[in-house]
């Protein structure tokens, strides 16, 4: 059976670092001074230094502006879904091109692209990003396009699973995968602390990857999905009048850690050298580390991505895999893992070549 390989990964973020501006803005939004105290404490514990957005913060004002210089998030007048999707359609292709250009496909690789896969849960329009990619790279008009939509943070693992199926069925196939999210597009005006804290970690980012049968990079060995029973409502993501509305329960880390501790990975973890875990937040990484009883440095790549970029939903695990790929030695075994609505953990086994 043909082996599929993740040959190369390129990543990109917008130019605006908005983490500090968001903290100022979110604290002003909370009317209850007691909630502000708790929020500040959680900010200090988040282990996030930078998060990037297509929105341009007005320095020192705690406000945000989109590219047209009109205020975007204004207390008492947050934008509706139509306005948010208009900005997604304007801004997503810009970030996509940045990531795809950094992948630096040569002419042979470009002409060998037979499939384009896109993951995104933060915006949609048609003809969409799949068409934008084909046009930007001048790909053949008969390239096969697939959108993996609204699956949340674990969508990249599902797309890699699909890419593996494609390459195994056609060894000559070349798969270009793009994972792109503009998470900062969906900040909500609320007095619910749990909801504000959920947006403390989210950011914008994109990754572009090449998957072929060429023996280079990381071999994609196997995939497994694990749904945690009776947790269906702990992560939800729904389209509403004022954008996409997220619920991210504080129970998620505990349930996730328990499920991992009781699952089959516990018995297999000693045979895994490299861990590419989606950094959904510091508490998520702590829960994985504790649940699987991992060494303190096992999730170093994930913690670095969290600190430097925050949680970029589906793109984030690819940022981690990019770092893992740079350090992986031939024969080393790895496990990639992402979490999202369900509550679901999507896992991928790989090894260095």
């Amino acid at each position: 059976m043909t082996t599929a390989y993740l040959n190369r990964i390129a990543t990109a973020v917008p130019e605006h670092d908005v983490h500090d501006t968001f903290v100022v803005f979110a604290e002003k939004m909370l009317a209850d001074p007691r909630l502000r105290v708790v929020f500040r404490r959680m900010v200090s514990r988040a282990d996030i230094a930078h998060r990037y957005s297509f929105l341009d913060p007005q320095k020192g004002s705690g406000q945000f502006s989109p590219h047209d210089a009109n205020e975007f998030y204004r207390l008492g007048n947050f934008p509706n879904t139509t306005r948010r999707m208009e900005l997604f359609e304007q801004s997503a292709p810009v970030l996509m091109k940045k990531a795809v250009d950094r992948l630096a496909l040569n002419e042979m690789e470009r002409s060998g692209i037979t499939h384009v896969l896109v993951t995104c849960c933060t915006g949609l329009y048609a003809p969409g990003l799949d068409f934008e990619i084909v046009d930007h790279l001048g790909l053949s008009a008969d390239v096969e396009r697939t959108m993996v939509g609204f699956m949340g943070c674990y969508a990249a693992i599902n797309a890699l699973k699909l890419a593996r199926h494609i390459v195994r069925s056609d060894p000559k196939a070349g798969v270009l995968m793009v994972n792109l999210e503009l998470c900062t597009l969906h900040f909500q005006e609320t007095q619910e602390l749990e909801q504000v804290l959920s947006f403390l970690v989210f950011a914008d980012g994109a990754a572009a990857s090449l998957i072929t049968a060429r023996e280079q990079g990381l071999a994609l060995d196997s995939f497994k999905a694990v749904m945690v029973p009776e947790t269906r409502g702990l992560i939800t993501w729904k389209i509403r009048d004022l954008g996409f509305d997220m619920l991210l329960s504080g129970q998620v880390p505990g349930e996730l850690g328990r499920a991992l501790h009781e699952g089959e990975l516990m018995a297999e973890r000693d045979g895994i050298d490299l861990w590419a875990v989606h950094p959904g937040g510091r508490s998520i990484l702590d829960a994985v580390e504790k649940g699987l009883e991992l060494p303190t440095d096992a999730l170093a790549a994930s913690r670095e991505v969290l600190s430097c970029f925050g949680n970029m939903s589906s793109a984030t695990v690819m940022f981690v895999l990019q770092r893992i790929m740079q350090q992986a030695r031939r024969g080393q075994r790895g496990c990639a893992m992402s979490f999202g609505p369900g509550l679901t953990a999507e896992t991928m086994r790989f090894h260095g070549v």
Side-chain angles (χ1 to χ4, degrees), residues 83-118:
R83 180 66 178 131
R84 296 179 198 238
M85 289 299 94
E86 287 172 350
L87 283 185
F88 181 88
E89 190 171 347
Q90 294 172 23
S91 301
V94 177
L95 185 57
M96 175 275 291
K97 292 172 184 177
K98 189 174 181 180
V100 168
D101 288 348
R102 287 182 176 178
L103 191 60
L105 297 170
N106 60 40
E107 187 55 40
M108 182 177 295
E109 290 172 332
R110 188 189 304 246
S111 62
I113 298 296
T114 57
H115 296 73
V116 170
L117 308 181
V118 180

Side-chain angles (χ1 to χ4, degrees), residues 65-251:
S65 295
H67 298 308
D68 63 3
N70 296 319
E71 290 182 353
F72 190 61
Y73 289 131
R74 289 184 292 169
L75 295 179
N77 188 28
F78 268 42
N80 60 23
T81 302
T82 298
R83 180 66 178 131
R84 296 179 198 238
M85 289 299 94
E86 287 172 350
L87 283 185
F88 181 88
E89 190 171 347
Q90 294 172 23
S91 301
V94 177
L95 185 57
M96 175 275 291
K97 292 172 184 177
K98 189 174 181 180
V100 168
D101 288 348
R102 287 182 176 178
L103 191 60
L105 297 170
N106 60 40
E107 187 55 40
M108 182 177 295
E109 290 172 332
R110 188 189 304 246
S111 62
I113 298 296
T114 57
H115 296 73
V116 170
L117 308 181
V118 180
T119 73
C120 187
C121 69
T122 51
L124 62 162
Y125 62 97
L129 279 171
D130 50 338
F131 281 88
E132 306 267 14
I133 293 166
V134 170
D135 291 345
H136 180 62
L137 290 176
L139 300 180
S140 170
D142 62 2
V143 68
E144 297 186 23
R145 298 167 289 102
T146 302
M147 299 287 295
V148 180
F150 230 71
M151 296 195 80
C153 297
Y154 54 63
I157 300 294
N158 280 281
L160 286 169
K161 186 190 309 180
L162 178 56
R164 177 173 178 259
H165 285 315
I166 292 169
V167 172
R168 281 157 61 98
S169 65
D170 179 4
K172 295 181 180 180
V175 182
L176 173 63
M177 180 179 76
V178 173
N179 319 103
L180 185 147
E181 306 288 3
L182 301 185
C183 299
T184 63
L185 191 60
H186 296 292
F187 181 44
Q188 300 291 318
E189 185 169 9
T190 178
Q191 293 300 310
E192 296 294 327
L193 181 61
E194 190 170 62
Q195 191 174 21
V196 177
L197 289 174
S198 72
F199 282 95
L200 174 63
V201 300
F202 283 102
D204 302 346
S209 307
L210 179 64
I211 302 98
T212 70
R214 188 171 72 252
E215 189 175 348
Q216 176 187 341
L218 302 176
L220 308 183
D221 296 325
S222 64
F223 292 80
K224 185 178 181 63
V226 180
M227 287 192 291
V228 182
E230 300 180 6
T231 60
R232 193 62 55 87
L234 296 188
I235 302 178
T236 61
W237 188 227
K238 300 180 179 181
I239 298 176
R240 294 292 186 254
D241 291 342
L242 296 177
F244 297 0
D245 198 1
M246 164 165 280
L247 183 145
L248 181 60
S249 171
Q251 300 177 48

